Amino acid sequence: QTDYLYGKADTLVNYLQKTATIRMKHAMTQFVLQLTLGKYDGEGIVSQIKLANQNNKEHIVDGGRLDIGSGEITGGSAADRIIWNDSTELKGSKLNLASILVPTGETEAEGDIRLEITIDGKVFYYDFKEGTDWKAGYKNIYRSAINSNELIIDPENGIIIEPWVDKSDNPDIELIPVS
């Protein structure tokens, strides 16, 4: 998974103006899943987690062209995204996963994007609500629990959308043109 940064200088650089300040921004979005077992009777072996397009929509895409001035990504192709494909036991622990995605654009209907989690061979799913919009530069954190017959994401306390901020010792890079 690769995140791409883009930016544009506030001023032109030339032989008189040798310093440019470029505020870098994330072109991608981050999907974070925090998964626990609630009242679940099985072994709790998670084998696959994926984000899937539904209703003939193309919100989850692979690839595309990035305009490094505006950050706009165009031309990707619809593709489900597997964010976990390994067997691990979830009993007594929390599974934290993060996946970098092309921003989705706002969904028109509930279920345009579906989260599918396979535990003990059984598929649990959650249909994201109408208006879900995973924007560039944001972390979309979903705290979820699996009970014996459902996947629960509490809309009040289980969804956190926050800016994707990286900490850096040197946020400004000075570019000096060749004379």
Side-chain angles (χ1 to χ4, degrees):
Q1 296 176 338
T2 303
D3 180 30
Y4 297 95
L5 300 175
Y6 71 96
K8 191 174 184 180
D10 295 335
T11 58
L12 294 176
V13 177
N14 58 40
Y15 68 94
L16 294 174
Q17 175 63 38
K18 296 179 181 177
T19 303
T21 301
I22 302 173
R23 301 270 180 238
M24 301 305 287
K25 301 174 186 172
H26 293 279
M28 306 296 273
T29 190
Q30 191 175 41
F31 173 82
V32 179
L33 179 67
Q34 298 173 339
L35 180 63
T36 59
L37 287 181
K39 297 175 183 171
Y40 184 78
D41 298 328
E43 288 182 67
I45 305 295
V46 180
S47 56
Q48 187 178 75
I49 300 173
K50 78 176 180 177
L51 293 169
N53 290 302
Q54 299 290 313
N55 304 328
N56 295 314
K57 301 297 179 182
E58 297 183 359
H59 292 285
I60 306 296
V61 299
D62 274 343
R65 280 181 87 96
L66 171 64
D67 179 319
I68 62 170
S70 69
E72 182 180 6
I73 299 172
T74 57
S77 57
D80 293 346
R81 171 64 69 95
I82 294 175
I83 57 175
W84 180 263
N85 203 18
D86 196 7
S87 289
T88 191
E89 186 174 353
L90 191 58
K91 289 260 184 189
S93 63
K94 182 187 332 183
L95 186 60
N96 288 305
L97 300 170
S99 186
I100 296 171
L101 306 168
V102 172
T104 61
E106 189 172 328
T107 60
E108 296 86 30
E110 182 171 336
D112 283 354
I113 301 173
R114 174 177 278 182
L115 172 64
E116 297 178 3
I117 301 174
T118 305
I119 297 181
D120 298 334
K122 182 178 177 184
V123 179
F124 294 85
Y125 67 89
Y126 175 83
D127 287 333
F128 290 97
K129 306 297 179 213
E130 175 185 346
T132 297
D133 189 2
W134 297 334
K135 296 179 181 178
Y138 283 84
K139 284 184 185 179
N140 305 277
I141 303 166
Y142 291 86
R143 295 178 177 155
S144 60
I146 300 271
N147 289 332
S148 287
N149 53 0
E150 64 182 337
L151 169 61
I152 299 170
I153 298 177
D154 178 4
E156 298 297 319
N157 302 309
I159 301 172
I160 301 166
I161 312 267
E162 64 186 22
W164 182 357
V165 179
D166 293 323
K167 296 173 179 55
S168 173
D169 295 332
N170 185 12
D172 297 321
I173 298 173
E174 187 173 319
L175 301 175
I176 301 173
V178 176
S179 319

